[in-house]
Structures are given as C-alpha cells and as structure tokens.
C-alpha cells in the first residue's frame, strides 16, 4: 500500500476497493441474497434464524420481540402472583401466549429486575420521609412529654402504614 497524505476513502482503502472490483458478479449477487434473507427475519417465534451469517462472520442480532397488549397484561397478572416460574409453568405460559419459553423466561428476568429496582426506590423514599419526619418531631417536641397525652406512634410508622393502607396480600398475591 502506498503511503499518501490523503485521507480520502479511495486512498485509504485503495487495495480493498481494487480487490472488490475484481470479485465476480456472482459473488456479489450471492452476498446480496444472503444479506436480504438475513434482514427478513421474523420478530416473533423462536430464536432460530436459519443459521444465516452476515458478511462480518457472525449471526445478525434477533429483532426485539413486540409483545401484544394482551400478552403483556397476561404476563403482568401472572407476575403479580408468581415472581418465579417453574419449568412447567413457563411452558404453560408460553403455549397460552404463543411465545417461546425463552421469550417468557427473558421477560420474567427483565420484569424481576424492574421490580427489584422499584422496590429499592420505594424503600429509599420511605427512609428519606422517615428521617425528615423524625427531624421535624425532634425539633418541635417538648422536652418532657405531658402525662395527660396518650401515646402516639412515631410519624414514620404512620407514613409506612399510609403507603401500604388498604392492601391485603396472601402468598404474594394482592386480593
């Protein structure tokens, strides 16, 4: 390769472009057919793309599954009661929703991650609220509690109760 001071593509890739021009028309046509079949993969179903390999020597990434509203509603209802699925349950859900077991398994993994993150945020908010209320109580509390006043629970307990009020759980399922 010649050393030139130009940064034009034809100068930088001169050897590659020359080799490319020497390829036969049949080779280029075969590559176009392979590229076209790789890009026409389906969005649903299993992960089998027929073993098509791209020009870079690896399988193209599968498209993201677009779940229907009905599928998402079913999965969310199931998740509310059951955070982990057994193999049999996963198979049943996959059959009921016309999805692969891998898609159901991946959805559940992602949903558990989201659920844990949401729980951490809620817990942190409760802690912050409790510390603010505790500071307010200690700043405005009398030095000696009056003997005539009945016991009142700390404010952070009432905050936690308010958040979870009217929610009844049995075995992880909201009633």
């Amino acid at each position: 390769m010649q050393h030139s001071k130009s940064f034009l593509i034809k100068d930088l890739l001169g050897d590659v472009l020359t080799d490319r021009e020497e390829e036969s028309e049949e080779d280029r046509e075969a590559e176009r057919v392979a590229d076209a079949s790789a890009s026409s993969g389906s969005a649903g179903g299993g992960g089998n793309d027929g073993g098509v390999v791209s020009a870079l020597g690896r399988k193209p990434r599968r498209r993201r599954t677009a779940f229907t509203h009905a599928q998402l509603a079913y999965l969310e209802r199931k998740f509310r009661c059951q955070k982990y699925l057994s193999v049999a349950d996963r198979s049943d859900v996959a059959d009921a929703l016309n999805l692969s077991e891998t898609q159901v398994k991946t959805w559940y993994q992602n949903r558990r991650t989201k659920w844990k993150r949401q729980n951490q945020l809620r817990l942190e908010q409760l802690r912050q609220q409790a510390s603010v209320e505790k500071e307010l109580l200690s700043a405005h509390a009398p030095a000696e509690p009056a003997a005539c006043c009945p016991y009142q629970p700390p404010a952070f307990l009432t905050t936690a109760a308010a958040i979870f009020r009217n929610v009844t759980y049995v075995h992880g399922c909201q009633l």
Side-chain angles (χ1 to χ4, degrees):
M1 180 171 166
Q2 295 177 341
H3 294 287
S4 69
K5 297 186 186 222
S6 169
F7 289 101
L8 295 172
I9 291 178
K10 68 178 184 172
D11 293 334
L12 293 172
L13 300 175
D15 295 346
V16 175
L17 292 175
T18 306
D19 293 344
R20 177 84 172 160
E21 290 169 0
E22 293 172 1
E23 284 183 349
S24 69
E25 183 60 34
E26 294 131 13
D27 292 341
R28 281 183 269 188
E29 181 61 28
E31 190 175 67
R32 277 194 290 272
V33 169
D35 288 345
S37 65
S39 65
S40 65
S42 67
N48 187 5
D49 59 6
V52 175
V53 177
S54 72
L56 297 175
R58 61 177 187 240
K59 285 186 176 182
R61 238 177 113 170
R62 235 178 54 66
R63 292 181 181 218
R64 179 183 172 128
T65 302
F67 294 103
T68 65
H69 291 294
Q71 288 171 330
L72 288 173
Y74 184 95
L75 287 165
E76 286 290 346
R77 275 195 314 272
K78 192 81 170 161
F79 182 80
R80 192 182 310 144
C81 295
Q82 203 173 353
K83 303 295 186 238
Y84 292 86
L85 291 178
S86 66
V87 175
D89 288 339
R90 185 171 65 220
S91 176
D92 292 344
V93 169
D95 289 343
L97 298 177
N98 197 24
L99 296 170
S100 70
E101 288 188 36
T102 304
Q103 288 172 313
V104 173
K105 178 181 170 184
T106 303
W107 186 91
Y108 256 79
Q109 288 172 339
N110 292 337
R111 187 61 181 87
R112 278 192 301 270
T113 302
K114 179 181 176 182
W115 174 67
K116 288 174 185 176
R117 187 175 61 246
Q118 288 172 335
N119 282 345
Q120 288 297 326
L121 286 173
R122 285 187 202 116
L123 188 59
E124 185 57 36
Q125 288 171 345
L126 275 176
R127 285 184 183 135
Q128 288 176 354
Q129 182 69 30
S131 68
V132 167
E133 289 181 1
K134 188 176 179 182
E135 288 174 18
L136 287 174
L137 281 177
S138 64
H140 298 294
E144 296 267 337
C148 65
C149 297
Y151 168 76
Q152 290 187 342
F156 67 89
L157 290 178
T158 58
T159 302
I163 290 174
F164 297 108
R165 185 179 303 137
N166 298 328
V167 179
T168 307
Y169 291 93
V170 175
H171 302 294
C173 290
Q174 185 176 353
L175 297 176

